[in-house]
């Protein structure tokens, strides 16, 4: 928590020497940890209008300020100076800078709408939540608003249309109660809100009371006239009333299209994107381009734009650390894995505890009902789409042919795609080519340790084995060696196809189930991303 900056005291030489290491440390933090370089410090000096050493001391006394985004902090200081906040006020009340810029704008505008002019100080802005709950009389007694101010007429003047709510009021009425009455009347007139809509608004979106009348009117105007939103669409998406009007205006200019589709059409499909800052959306678009995700897949997962660029980059980094996720990094629908990463990671760990090997991307990122059904059905099998994607990624133009060939095996859908990927990588390291692997595509379905075991036997070229196989092993090429290894693996299982199972027991498709009871925590807390507790045995 920030402490108030003390009044400047000229330090003695001894004191200066004492504080020098700390000042050096803070400058180092500014320059390296938080990237507040000298140029930024100078711009901060110009904005605040204070001496270098005063700002330096201010940051030293309030180190939490260093954690704030530097560009946003500069914007906040610029705005506060624009509304005539003095440098001394900023230095004395740094905690105000921890509010979002839009919050500062709304609070300032609301206080102005309520008649605060001379009383509009940084202290008033910082204590907005307390002031707005006070009575009109108390505001007058503290000289925040003129004593002869008629608050009803003052609020009435803030609207472009006639807004005259019927309410009994006097100077003992709380300011917030009056504003809510005006909000209700305005929305009733402008958007034809009835009692159900009013009830929904204050039940689900009550923070609208901290939105200025001016901003709310601008948001509705922009959505209706620029974005062509109907009244019904606005009512169905009331959260849009919280949007930032400046962001709405800048959005089509800064982000005219997303994946080839015009922004306004995107907004019609997914209105929530308007609640995201346009600069964040631009950065996310750049990240997605680096991943080479098809435009069609991006348009199917527009919710990805509600995540911050930093969050997406962090999740991508975490995906590469988990082998089961890394193999899906080139999957067209990897966006779902990024969007639901936390849920997917918990589900993967849970399924691994149940010895489930073939959880697909769909299962890991699906809704709770589908996941519960998958666990209850207990069938440990992969999705054909995931297998097809991996094979097409490995064999390129021959990928479809590889898919059709591998489907001839009776148990192909019980093999994890990670196992296939690892087998290919291992065989390539052993100097086998993709042609060798393609010509023996079913080798990818078998556990790697069995393949290596048979390859070792073949490389030894045991005379007895040669007699049994009826071939001269030293003459066999790489493709033939893989074919022989595949033959030997299946020979151990009487060519039933059961050699794909890691355990050396025969399992049929009918018996390949996990048959577990779904924990009760999976039906409630787990839906919201909380990991189910590990079952403990009773003594």
């Amino acid at each position: 928590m920030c402490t108030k900056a003390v009044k400047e005291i000229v330090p003695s030489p001894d004191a200066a020497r004492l504080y020098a290491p700390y000042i050096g440390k803070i400058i180092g933090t500014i320059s390296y940890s938080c990237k507040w370089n000298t140029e930024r410090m100078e711009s901060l000096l110009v904005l605040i209008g204070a001496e270098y050493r005063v700002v330096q001391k201010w940051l030293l006394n309030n180190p939490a300020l260093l954690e704030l985004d530097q560009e946003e902090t500069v914007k906040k200081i610029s705005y506060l100076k624009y509304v005539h906040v003095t440098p001394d006020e900023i230095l004395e009340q740094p905690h105000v800078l921890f509010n979002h810029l839009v919050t500062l704008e709304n609070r300032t505008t609301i206080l102005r709408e309520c008649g605060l002019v001379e009383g509009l100080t940084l202290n008033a802005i910082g204590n907005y939540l307390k002031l707005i709950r006070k009575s009109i009389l108390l505001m007058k007694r503290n000289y925040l608003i003129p004593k002869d101010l008629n608050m009803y007429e003052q609020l009435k003047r803030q609207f472009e249309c006639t807004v005259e709510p019927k309410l009994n009021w006097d100077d003992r009425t709380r300011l917030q109660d009056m504003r809510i009455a005006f909000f209700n009347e305005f929305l009733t007139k402008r958007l034809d809100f009835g009692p159900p809509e009013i009830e929904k608004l204050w039940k689900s979106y009550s923070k609208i009371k901290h939105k200025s009348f001016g901003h709310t009117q601008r948001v509705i105007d922009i959505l209706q006239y620029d974005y062509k939103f109907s009244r019904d669409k606005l009512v169905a998406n009331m959260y849009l009333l919280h949007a930032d009007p400046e962001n709405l205006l800048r959005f089509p200019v800064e982000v005219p299209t997303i994946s080839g589709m015009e922004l306004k059409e995107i907004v019609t499909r997914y209105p929530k994107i308007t609640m995201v800052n346009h600069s964040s959306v631009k950065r996310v678009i750049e990240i997605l381009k680096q991943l080479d995700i098809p435009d069609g897949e991006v348009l199917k997962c527009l919710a990805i734009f509600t995540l911050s660029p930093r969050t997406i980059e962090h999740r991508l980094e975490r995906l590469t650390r988990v082998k089961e996720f890394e193999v899906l990094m080139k999957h067209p629908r990897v966006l779902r894995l990024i969007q639901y990463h936390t849920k997917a990671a918990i589900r993967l760990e849970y399924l691994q505890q149940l010895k489930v090997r073939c959880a697909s991307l769909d299962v890991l990122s699906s809704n709770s009902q589908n996941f519960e059904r998958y666990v209850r059905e207990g069938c440990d099998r992969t999705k054909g789409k995931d297998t097809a994607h991996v094979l097409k990624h490995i064999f390129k133009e021959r990928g479809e042919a590889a898919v059709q060939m591998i489907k001839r095996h009776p148990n192909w859908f019980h093999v994890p795609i990670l196992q296939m990927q690892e087998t290919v990588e291992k065989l390539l390291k052993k100097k086998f080519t993709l042609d060798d692997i393609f010509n023996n595509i079913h080798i990818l379905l078998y556990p790697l340790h069995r393949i290596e075991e048979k390859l070792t036997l073949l490389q030894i070229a045991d005379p007895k084995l040669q007699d049994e196989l009826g071939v001269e092993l030293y003459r066999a090429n790489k493709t033939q060696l893989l074919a022989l290894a595949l033959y030997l693996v299946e020979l151990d299982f009487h060519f039933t196809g059961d050699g794909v199972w890691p355990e050396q027991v025969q399992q049929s498709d009918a018996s390949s189930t996990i048959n577990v009871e779904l924990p009760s925590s999976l039906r409630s807390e787990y839906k919201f991303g909380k990991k189910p507790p590990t079952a403990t045995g009773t003594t």
Side-chain angles (χ1 to χ4, degrees), residues 223 226-230 233-234 236-237 239-240 258 261-274 302:
L223 290 174
D226 291 13
Y227 288 85
K228 308 300 180 185
F229 272 39
S230 65
K233 195 167 187 68
L234 279 172
N237 300 279
Y239 60 84
L240 292 173
I258 295 178
M261 183 177 289
E262 287 192 9
L263 178 74
K264 291 183 179 179
E265 190 174 347
I266 293 283
V267 171
T268 302
R269 280 191 181 191
Y270 191 70
K272 193 176 290 186
I273 199 171
T274 59
L302 293 172

Side-chain angles (χ1 to χ4, degrees), residues 236-460:
N237 300 279
M238 287 187 190
Y239 60 84
L240 292 173
L241 297 176
H242 287 284
D244 177 13
E246 295 301 325
N247 188 55
L248 288 175
L249 289 173
R250 294 293 302 166
F251 225 129
V253 178
E254 299 294 334
V255 189
T257 62
I258 295 178
S259 295
M261 183 177 289
E262 287 192 9
L263 178 74
K264 291 183 179 179
E265 190 174 347
I266 293 283
V267 171
T268 302
R269 280 191 181 191
Y270 191 70
K272 193 176 290 186
I273 199 171
T274 59
M275 306 299 291
V276 185
N277 188 277
H278 61 79
S279 60
S280 175
V281 173
K282 285 181 70 174
R283 178 69 186 119
V284 171
I285 290 174
E286 293 173 3
I287 295 172
L288 299 186
K289 284 182 179 178
Q290 294 172 5
L291 295 175
D292 292 327
I293 297 175
D295 288 344
E297 295 300 327
V298 174
L299 295 176
K300 289 178 184 177
C301 192
L302 293 172
I304 196 71
F305 291 101
T306 61
L307 300 177
S308 73
R310 186 178 300 177
T311 298
I312 293 175
E313 290 172 340
H314 177 62
R315 291 186 178 184
L316 284 171
E317 183 183 350
R318 291 175 65 183
L319 287 178
T320 58
R321 297 177 187 171
V322 181
K323 294 187 295 183
E324 288 82 359
F325 290 152
E326 186 181 18
V327 73
L328 294 168
M329 285 296 291
K330 295 297 182 180
H331 197 290
R333 290 191 295 165
V334 70
L335 289 182
R336 289 182 60 81
L337 203 56
I338 298 171
Q339 182 184 356
Y340 300 111
H341 174 266
T342 303
K343 176 170 68 174
I346 294 172
R347 287 180 174 181
L348 177 64
E349 183 179 349
Y350 177 78
L351 291 174
Q352 286 175 339
Q353 292 173 4
L354 300 179
K355 307 300 182 184
V356 177
R357 305 184 305 139
C358 300
S360 66
L361 187 149
D362 280 344
V363 169
L364 294 175
S365 62
S366 65
N367 59 44
S368 298
Q369 290 75 20
N370 288 342
F371 181 71
E372 287 182 19
R373 184 166 58 251
Y374 174 81
V375 174
R376 289 189 184 284
E377 289 176 354
C379 189
D380 186 10
R381 56 187 295 168
T382 187
K383 285 278 188 179
K385 290 181 180 179
D386 291 351
T387 302
H389 160 71
V390 170
L391 292 177
K392 289 175 182 178
H393 178 67
I394 294 171
F395 295 106
K396 309 302 180 189
E397 65 276 0
R398 293 185 295 178
E400 185 58 38
V403 173
Q404 296 306 318
M405 287 192 293
I406 212 163
K407 284 184 176 180
R408 296 174 187 171
H409 195 287
N411 293 326
W412 69 272
F413 43 78
H414 289 303
V415 179
I417 57 175
L418 175 61
Q419 177 182 311
M420 293 185 183
Q421 179 78 38
E422 290 179 338
T423 300
V424 169
E425 292 173 357
K426 192 68 175 180
L427 291 175
L428 290 175
K429 287 181 180 179
K430 290 180 177 291
K431 307 303 181 182
F432 290 97
T433 66
L434 284 177
D435 285 338
D436 298 330
I437 300 170
F438 178 81
N439 291 326
N440 297 280
I441 193 67
H442 294 110
I443 199 80
L444 301 182
L445 300 176
Y446 295 88
L448 187 57
H449 72 275
R450 289 182 184 155
I451 299 170
E452 291 181 319
E453 177 188 331
K454 301 307 179 184
L455 285 174
T456 301
L457 285 175
L458 292 169
Q459 288 167 354
I460 293 174

